[in-house]
Amino acid sequence: MLDFIINNAKIVTESQVFDGSIGIQDGKITHISKTIGESANRVIDAKGKLLLPGLIDGHTHMEMPFMGTVSSDDFYQGTVAAACGGVTTIVDFAVQPRGGTILDTYDMWRKKADPKVCVDYALHMIIRDFNEINLKQIRNLIEEGVTSFKLFMAYKKELYLDDGAIYSIMDEVVKYGGLVGLHCENADLIECFAARLLSEGKVEAEYHAKSRPSLVEVEAVQRGIRLAEMSGSPMYVVHMSTGLARDEIKEGADRGLPVYSETCPHYLTFTAEAYRRPNGNRYIMSPPLRSDEDRAKLWLGLANGFIKTVGSDHVCFNSQQKNQPDFSKVPNGVIGTEVILPILYSAGVGKGILPLTRLVQVTSYNPSKLFGLYPKKGAIAVGSDADLVVLDPNKSVRLSVDNLHSNIDYSIYEDVTVTGYPVLTISRGEVVSEDGQFTGKKGKGQFVKGKQFPAKRPDL
Ligand SMILES: [Zn+2]
């Protein structure tokens, strides 16, 4: 007697699409075959539906202290939203407080997340203080299962590290099998451009984008690639927004460097036009939204495999937090974890841009390989965690505030209707969301240790 059987599904992995059934016992996948000749406590007929590995959202910031406030989704509400969007693992960013150590920060984040998470999670570590103690602790942290580090070239007053610090951390991380993620924007230029615009009284949301134009990001990506090249460290550009940056990453990868990149659902959906809408502040995130041409190049980058992952950069703020006198004071960030799959399916697979296997690569297989979670996560294979999502390709849903689960009072996707929607999310064998309703439990998610970044690079 099995716990769960899903029959007649169109099963999608990173390399194949086939009709079949899946059996689940004790939270693991135990059977993958045409038919399963056993009974189960629950049997679902998934005829006409797709069955994918649960998504791994490699980029979330739940209850993150930032720009004088805290992001409004905590680990509970944020993972409710994740579950309802087909995400079964988030990789959240622990933020080392100034003066603190990264090992203490790890403990702090575990204490915040463990009692609240409804799906499994792993952690990246944001290092803000470059000093001997934190440098030494990198090795210990990797042993604890936090194998990726995020460093900021931007946010001069809050999170910024200079190139020497970034190089030195890369140099240490690579020794112990870690991965360095970089927020690539030139902090000095942003300060200079923003000060000029504000002094001219240009305070509206559209000047947020003008204060950090595309080349400010491209320059930082180029620099990041050179720092990775000098240190020998693998490097992952988070939330890439521009077509030109994509070209730089491709050029670095073509030269044999282990450089990877991620983009986000908002860059694939909107352009800078959104900043001129009545609530333009709500679309403020960094890097900012770009042009139509950039958006097209990002889709193409995903389609042809130059961009390896889609993470959400989920960090949301309610309308009151977003309502500020000028763009430089608006907390940066938008929702995302719940919309990755609907956006990529509807605007990617549905429009013939992304093959189904590529969808699985960029949303689960590649992040699981990069962050050391494979094959526990990101695989439909016997022995892997039963983290699965059933998608109804014909279900249309408006991504309005009423249909989404984040703790904010609006949706930037209010006018976006998608076709193709997750209807069942399974986390280690348990149903955590069904037909748009959260059915999981607070605190049921577990911390997942990342394995070291392999010396022989993952084949993505
Ligand atoms: Zn982020």
Side-chain angles (χ1 to χ4, degrees), residues 105-417:
T105 306
Y106 165 73
D107 287 337
M108 225 156 79
W109 247 257
R110 289 291 307 270
K111 283 199 185 94
K112 282 211 274 192
D114 282 351
K116 291 186 184 170
V117 281
C118 310
V119 298
D120 291 351
Y121 78 105
L123 289 171
H124 309 287
M125 180 61 64
I126 292 174
I127 304 181
R128 295 165 83 188
D129 288 336
F130 169 59
N131 57 37
E132 275 308 306
I133 298 170
N134 283 333
L135 211 52
K136 280 217 178 75
Q137 289 188 353
I138 284 172
R139 179 185 192 163
N140 311 107
L141 202 61
I142 290 174
E143 286 163 3
E144 291 286 349
V146 179
T147 55
S148 45
F149 297 81
K150 185 178 177 189
L151 312 176
F152 284 80
M153 292 171 145
Y155 299 118
K156 195 98 187 181
K157 293 185 193 78
E158 279 207 71
L159 299 157
Y160 171 85
L161 288 178
D162 66 36
D163 293 346
I166 292 173
Y167 171 84
S168 306
I169 293 170
M170 283 178 158
D171 190 46
E172 191 71 6
V173 165
V174 69
K175 279 186 213 158
Y176 303 107
L179 170 68
V180 171
L182 279 186
H183 177 130
C184 294
E185 287 184 295
N186 183 312
D188 291 329
L189 288 175
I190 293 166
E191 284 222 323
C192 164
F193 295 158
R196 270 197 208 179
L197 290 163
L198 292 171
S199 74
E200 292 164 8
K202 294 173 173 164
V203 297
E204 294 83 7
E206 65 184 285
Y207 297 106
H208 168 70
K210 299 217 159 82
S211 74
R212 29 208 334 150
S214 178
L215 287 176
V216 160
E217 179 181 352
V218 176
E219 182 280 325
V221 169
Q222 287 171 331
R223 194 155 31 100
I225 292 170
R226 294 300 177 185
L227 290 168
E229 187 171 6
M230 282 185 259
S231 64
S233 171
M235 191 270 281
Y236 178 80
V237 175
V238 296
H239 54 45
M240 198 169 63
S241 71
T242 80
L244 281 175
R246 182 209 69 172
D247 297 343
E248 293 299 330
I249 288 287
K250 180 181 181 304
E251 193 269 339
D254 286 349
R255 287 196 292 119
L257 300 173
V259 292
Y260 309 93
S261 62
E262 162 197 273
T263 191
C264 310
H266 37 273
Y267 303 125
L268 296 165
T269 307
F270 305 107
T271 66
E273 166 278 323
Y275 294 123
R276 291 193 293 276
R277 296 181 188 179
N279 289 305
N281 279 2
R282 293 177 180 178
Y283 294 83
I284 287 184
M285 83 291 285
S286 292
L289 298 168
R290 305 290 188 194
S291 68
D292 244 341
E293 193 191 344
D294 285 304
R295 182 170 56 176
K297 276 187 128 180
L298 295 178
W299 275 113
L300 202 61
L302 284 175
N304 58 26
F306 303 150
I307 299 175
K308 296 298 179 195
T309 68
V310 177
S312 68
D313 199 5
H314 184 94
V315 52
C316 55
F317 299 94
N318 61 45
S319 55
Q320 199 193 344
Q321 290 170 297
K322 283 284 197 182
N323 188 12
Q324 298 292 336
D326 76 63
F327 69 82
S328 74
K329 298 192 173 62
V330 179
N332 282 216
V334 296
I335 59 160
T337 195
E338 194 169 1
V339 303
I340 297 174
L341 181 56
I343 293 285
L344 284 188
Y345 186 82
S346 187
V349 177
K351 296 241 163 82
I353 300 170
L354 289 187
L356 280 169
T357 49
R358 184 73 82 198
L359 171 72
V360 167
Q361 288 169 25
V362 300
T363 58
S364 59
Y365 179 79
N366 290 349
S368 75
K369 286 269 182 165
L370 286 167
F371 305 131
L373 308 174
Y374 190 85
K376 180 177 167 64
K377 305 293 185 189
I380 294 185
V382 170
S384 289
D385 282 359
D387 287 358
L388 299 162
V389 54
V390 177
L391 181 135
D392 180 345
N394 300 313
K395 184 171 180 175
S396 287
V397 174
R398 191 162 149 224
L399 300 176
S400 71
V401 65
D402 299 332
N403 292 328
L404 299 175
H405 294 81
S406 280
N407 186 29
I408 56 170
D409 53 349
Y410 63 93
S411 164
I412 58 166
Y413 293 89
E414 196 67 38
D415 299 333
V416 179
T417 297

Side-chain angles (χ1 to χ4, degrees), residues 42 44 83-84 395 422-425 431-439:
R42 184 170 177 191
I44 290 180
C84 294
K395 184 171 180 175
V423 291
L424 189 80
T425 306
V431 175
V432 290
S433 143
E434 194 161 5
D435 292 325
Q437 298 297 315
F438 175 67
T439 58

